[in-house]
Amino acid sequence: MFAIVLAAALGNNPIATFDTTMGAFKAELYLDRVPRTASNFIDLAQNGYYDGLHFHRVIPNFMNQFGCPHSKDPKSSRAGTGGPPDGTFTNLATGKEETRTGGGNIQDENISKDSNKPGTLSMANTGRPNSGGSQFFMNVADNSFLDWFSPGQSKHPVFGAIIEGMDVVTAISKVKTARDNPVEPIMMKSITVSGVPAKDEV
């Protein structure tokens, strides 16, 4: 555990590789800035939670949303409404236990002023405090109006940034849709995370 804390302190953040049916891309996860949020994502990814889910909402010049368990069926009318099971996970920066409650939600981590710029990963929520769980979105435009520290109701903390394959993310945002849902389903085959211990080593 000390090695992970040290890595975070040095800014040597984990890297997530997203393998989709439209191609792959990689993102740095901000474990050093928003450890609870990044650790939640890493835990879900390591458990295979995201494998086989589909992008359920894509809007050109805005963002791609993903991570709802109901999107296993790409045409489910419930896609966009679900979250992970309640439970616990380890904060990889502090070693402390964190909880998911009330439908798999984590506590908001509005501590790092990283803006919703193109290429960033940001937590989706219902608009209420502490309502983020497994869903997140990839910004393909400057969406700073969604920053938790901006005026207005939308509060979406950034927890990572794409470092490779932004062309894939942009292409996903431009596919043909019906009510923002891709006509041809786009599946996440797997998400793997490097730079952190394997699940059984935490």
Side-chain angles (χ1 to χ4, degrees):
M1 186 58 66
F2 174 75
I4 296 301
V5 175
L6 180 59
L10 294 175
N12 187 19
N13 280 320
I15 303 298
T17 300
F18 301 75
D19 186 14
T20 83
T21 51
M22 281 189 63
F25 56 94
K26 294 183 179 182
E28 176 188 1
L29 303 176
Y30 293 161
L31 184 62
D32 59 341
R33 308 182 200 183
V34 282
R36 178 189 302 121
T37 308
S39 296
N40 172 65
F41 171 83
I42 292 167
D43 178 72
L44 292 171
Q46 289 185 324
N47 280 322
Y49 177 89
Y50 293 116
D51 300 355
L53 301 186
H54 296 80
F55 285 84
H56 65 269
R57 183 174 178 236
V58 304
I59 303 175
N61 302 309
F62 185 29
M63 59 91 221
N64 305 329
Q65 191 166 340
F66 174 79
C68 176
H70 301 312
S71 70
K72 202 84 156 177
D73 172 0
K75 300 303 179 183
S76 172
S77 61
R78 300 176 65 199
T81 66
D86 289 352
T88 61
F89 61 96
T90 301
N91 185 316
L92 295 173
T94 66
K96 294 181 179 179
E97 184 177 89
E98 303 277 1
T99 60
R100 297 187 190 98
T101 59
N105 299 324
I106 63 171
Q107 292 292 302
D108 290 337
E109 195 172 26
N110 297 334
I111 58 175
S112 184
K113 290 188 175 182
D114 300 296
S115 187
N116 281 268
K117 298 293 186 182
T120 54
L121 309 182
S122 192
M123 287 296 288
N125 57 46
T126 66
R128 299 190 305 273
N130 307 312
S131 61
S134 59
Q135 293 190 49
F136 62 98
F137 56 92
M138 303 149 197
N139 290 295
V140 296
D142 184 345
N143 296 321
S144 56
F145 68 96
L146 298 177
D147 296 343
W148 66 264
F149 49 91
S150 69
Q153 297 301 310
S154 294
K155 307 294 181 185
H156 299 276
V158 166
F159 68 94
I162 294 162
I163 58 172
E164 184 179 312
M166 186 61 191
D167 57 326
V168 174
V169 177
T170 301
I172 290 172
S173 74
K174 294 180 177 180
V175 300
K176 185 178 180 181
T177 61
R179 296 179 299 279
D180 297 332
N181 181 258
V183 172
E184 293 293 329
I186 306 166
M187 187 180 74
M188 187 69 68
K189 296 190 284 186
S190 67
I191 300 177
T192 55
V193 182
S194 60
V196 292
K199 185 68 176 175
D200 57 3
E201 295 175 357
V202 177

